[in-house]
Amino acid sequence: DKVSLMLVPLVASLGLVVPMISGRGLGHTGGTLDKLESIPGFRVDLTEDDFLDALSETGAAIVGATQAIAPADRKMYALRDVTGTVGSVPLICGSIMCKKIAEDPDSLLLDVKTGNGAFMQRMEDATNLARLMIAAGEGAGKRTVALLTSMEQPLGQAVGNWLEVRESVEVLNGGGPADIRELVVAQAAHMLVLGGKADSYALSQLA
């Protein structure tokens, strides 16, 4: 998901600490880690200490699951990919939330895609997944909000790991496609409210 490439550094620049344990591509989707690894020399296989050091130094870090960090997710990912259960709602919930909870944030913002380009093509299924993940997050003591967003058409104009990285940099520099900018700003606004950096969604959009 290329949105993370813009959202994480943007929110970190506004004063929140943003840990993220991400995944690789499944089915027809490209994973956040795959996109980052298209950058020469970029590492996503950090140790727990390196992960914490990066958060302390920069306020943000995106890593993959390891033997020490959310180890079960690596097996779940591989199992879903080869057993035709990529779209299983309970397994999607478990895969996403085990990483999110392992990050140990105070709050969580979840972006649940729906439409013909998403695993959850029907709004009913996407809503069900969102409710399951909210229950999992709240059950772990995390304030959790889920946004249902459309995947009826590609987001932005670039397709392909490196091309999407380049497009993300353009957005962070104030350019890029309007649809990506709108989504990133909306999600950042929700994160600022959840993180206590803004009192309301409307005010956080002005940050």
Side-chain angles (χ1 to χ4, degrees):
D1 184 0
K2 63 184 169 187
V3 172
S4 301
L5 306 184
M6 297 157 274
L7 183 62
V8 169
L10 173 61
V11 174
S13 75
L14 295 171
L16 290 182
V17 176
V18 190
M20 184 174 181
I21 303 172
S22 192
R24 299 192 178 277
L26 271 179
H28 65 280
T29 66
T32 302
L33 300 183
D34 302 311
K35 300 183 198 311
L36 288 172
E37 286 185 333
S38 71
I39 303 171
F42 197 102
R43 288 181 52 223
V44 298
D45 58 340
L46 302 185
T47 66
E48 185 175 355
D49 287 341
D50 289 340
F51 184 36
L52 294 174
D53 287 344
L55 287 173
S56 176
E57 292 175 13
T58 68
I62 302 176
V63 300
T66 67
Q67 292 296 333
I69 303 173
D73 186 57
R74 300 175 72 188
K75 296 181 179 179
M76 290 177 65
Y77 241 64
L79 185 64
R80 288 169 60 205
D81 208 20
V82 300
T83 58
T85 55
V86 169
S88 167
V89 172
L91 290 179
I92 292 173
C93 177
S95 177
I96 293 173
M97 295 310 293
C98 75
K99 294 192 290 287
K100 298 303 181 187
I101 293 170
E103 294 164 4
D104 196 26
D106 295 324
S107 57
L108 287 167
L109 178 71
L110 306 170
D111 181 11
V112 182
K113 298 294 187 186
T114 185
N116 59 27
F119 292 132
M120 302 291 102
Q121 295 190 4
R122 299 188 307 162
M123 179 63 73
E124 178 184 355
D125 293 332
T127 302
N128 182 33
L129 175 60
R131 287 173 175 162
L132 284 175
M133 292 196 295
I134 290 172
E138 297 285 351
K142 313 299 181 184
R143 186 181 175 195
T144 307
V145 171
L147 304 180
L148 296 174
T149 60
S150 174
M151 204 170 178
E152 289 289 349
Q153 61 186 29
L155 186 63
Q157 299 173 350
V159 177
N161 292 335
W162 168 243
L163 295 176
E164 291 177 48
V165 169
R166 187 171 66 179
E167 185 176 63
S168 299
V169 173
E170 292 174 359
V171 172
L172 289 171
N173 284 325
D179 59 343
I180 298 182
R181 294 201 309 270
E182 180 180 355
L183 180 60
V184 170
V185 168
Q187 292 191 2
H190 280 284
M191 290 179 70
L192 290 173
V193 173
L194 284 169
K197 294 295 184 180
D199 294 328
S200 71
Y201 174 73
L203 287 175
S204 64
Q205 289 187 297
L206 301 177

